[in-house]
Amino acid sequence: MGALRKLSGGGFHYLAAVLFAPDHTVTRAAIIPHELVLKNSVYVKHTNAWKFMLRDASWTWPGVRDVTEELRAVKL
């Protein structure tokens, strides 16, 4: 997901994570509470940032909202 700086200090309540297919359609999407992002992240001193890996199991965590179908339903 990239480097998340100052993660332990808050700054957001939820992380919106969207995975896209090569054709730019939504593969999967979730709304993840801050506390779960922090709990499942690792601090990397070299980059002075937190590393959060979005895995298939992330969708099974209590409190995570799967919004895949909602995003797929949006017509632009």
Side-chain angles (χ1 to χ4, degrees), residues 10-70:
F12 64 91
H13 298 286
Y14 297 94
L15 174 77
V18 183
L19 301 177
F20 293 98
D23 66 356
H24 305 290
T25 57
V26 174
T27 301
R28 290 190 90 178
I31 305 295
I32 307 170
H34 176 271
E35 61 268 14
L36 289 176
V37 175
L38 180 59
K39 179 181 173 184
N40 292 282
S41 296
V42 176
Y43 181 74
V44 180
K45 186 177 180 181
H46 176 72
T47 59
N48 189 31
W50 294 82
K51 180 172 70 173
F52 175 71
M53 300 294 290
L54 186 64
R55 296 182 166 84
D56 287 337
S58 304
W59 275 261
T60 66
W61 298 336
V64 172
R65 185 171 153 227
D66 186 335
V67 293
T68 304
E69 294 307 319
E70 291 172 65

